[in-house]
Amino acid sequence: MYKPISFSDKFSSILLWMALFTLPISIHLNSYTFAIFMISTLILKIKEKAVIQIHPFMMVCVVFFILTALEYFNSYDKISAKNFIEKRLGYLFIPILFYQVNANILKNVLLFWVKAIMLLLIFLLLYAFIRYIKGSDGSVFYYHELCYPIYNHAIFISLIVSIAMLITWFYYSPSKKYIKILLLLLFYFFLMLLSSKNIFTVTSIIFFVLVSKKIISMKLWLSGAVFIVLGTAFLLSLENSNIISRIKQASQYDFHLAYATKVTEATRFDGTNLRLRLWNYGWHILSENNAFVWGVSPADTQRLLDAKIIKSDMYIGSDKKSDKGFLGYDFHNQYVQTFVETGIIGLVLLLSMFLILLYEGYVNKTPFLIFLNILFAVAFISESNLGRQAGIFSFLAFNTIGLLLIKIKNTDEYNQTTI
């Protein structure tokens, strides 16, 4: 039976929305809103004397946090080790507390979040247009330059946009269908401008599958043929676009630069051979430190990687204070990053998270959770998303929301929740 939304639930919904919306905007504001939301949720549950519900995904997250905490004793840099433990406290609290959210507020919060992300993207486009008419070149509309006003990474914003597209597809049901279609097309347009090769490609494949399945299930063969023709024409029209040029560039990488023992400071790397080179360093770090089981610890990983970069004569910056060259780069691959930091044990735990989530999505017939984790799994190939607090929060929060949506689906509350 439908339960009226209480003041505490309304307050929680505002905090939850702010926690999600501030993910791409400000890590400091995001940290505060996450903390306030989780504390208020905990207080509310204690006040209600509610039973805290636990899921296997949460247990794996707790074990992963414990592993990170234990790495403190394996770390050379104890101060950095403490910072890493603080950064990863989210594994301990986010899944458990997000899973306690009242079902009555969740879908409305997601809907408002999707609309807020669209408004943020429109703001970024308008800001780029103002920069353009003031004399900047066309690059202000693409990739990292587009995200300049919020000082964020185009690849992370692309991930947020793709998640918004999935939520729109599965959980937004406006009375007028064209509104949903228009929203999806606008998100896809911004995804092209953001120009993240991997995320653009995997999102395109996901939505090609989703749209094709819908067309086939409706037996609209003529519409299906038109969709394929228009889709092909659309991709051909992108021939000279920024995203296509970046994909072409990635296909022309030089293997020699990726594995050369020595380079010079003048050597120019593209995204692909730089990543291959960093991944290769990861293997050597593990081998040289005999650290395949436990890793070299999160705190010491950066120091060891920087040493490799310096030793191979890669560019390490100029006299300018802000120019450090390749120093400070992570492995740009979450699987390699986790392997080096926490060994095979940490990597198995990370893969276990994916397996649990994919299994839950499959068993409970919740494709949102399946496609969400396909998206994360692919994003992790080219970026160390969990090395940033916003990356940790987004991975844990949206996956826990996916599990919560399954819980809603399996209860009477699901039919009473409106969007």
Side-chain angles (χ1 to χ4, degrees), residues 64 190 203 229 248:
F64 189 78
F190 281 109
T203 304
V229 171
K248 284 182 176 180

Side-chain angles (χ1 to χ4, degrees), residues 242-258:
N242 191 60
I243 181 65
I244 296 300
S245 64
R246 294 193 72 243
I247 292 174
K248 284 182 176 180
Q249 185 184 43
S251 66
Q252 299 171 354
Y253 58 81
D254 184 355
F255 266 116
H256 171 72
L257 288 179

Side-chain angles (χ1 to χ4, degrees), residues 45-174:
K45 292 301 172 182
I46 293 173
K47 184 178 178 181
E48 294 176 348
K49 297 181 180 180
V51 176
I52 300 296
Q53 301 177 67
I54 302 296
H55 188 277
F57 171 67
M58 304 168 199
M59 300 305 297
V60 176
C61 289
V62 170
V63 174
F64 189 78
F65 171 78
I66 292 172
L67 177 64
T68 300
L70 290 175
E71 288 285 353
Y72 173 85
F73 301 102
N74 189 36
S75 302
Y76 176 80
D77 186 348
K78 300 298 184 185
I79 296 176
S80 294
K82 288 181 181 178
N83 292 334
F84 269 99
I85 292 173
E86 290 177 6
K87 184 188 294 186
R88 296 185 180 182
L89 279 170
Y91 288 100
L92 200 57
F93 297 111
I94 291 176
I96 293 176
L97 293 177
F98 264 62
Y99 200 61
Q100 317 308 317
V101 171
N102 190 324
N104 288 323
I105 71 171
L106 182 60
K107 293 175 84 174
N108 283 323
V109 169
L110 291 178
L111 171 59
F112 284 117
W113 178 77
V114 165
K115 291 180 178 179
I117 293 299
M118 176 54 69
L119 291 176
L120 174 63
L121 294 172
I122 292 172
F123 163 74
L124 293 179
L125 186 61
L126 290 175
Y127 195 92
F129 180 73
I130 292 171
R131 292 176 67 195
Y132 179 72
I133 61 176
K134 285 185 175 180
S136 298
D137 60 28
S139 65
V140 296
F141 293 102
Y142 300 104
Y143 206 36
H144 297 312
E145 283 295 313
L146 182 62
C147 304
Y148 171 78
I150 55 176
Y151 301 101
N152 214 319
H153 203 282
I155 298 174
F156 179 69
I157 303 300
S158 296
L159 183 62
I160 293 294
V161 171
S162 296
I163 293 171
M165 289 180 70
L166 287 174
I167 292 172
T168 302
W169 177 271
F170 288 109
Y171 298 108
Y172 182 34
S173 301

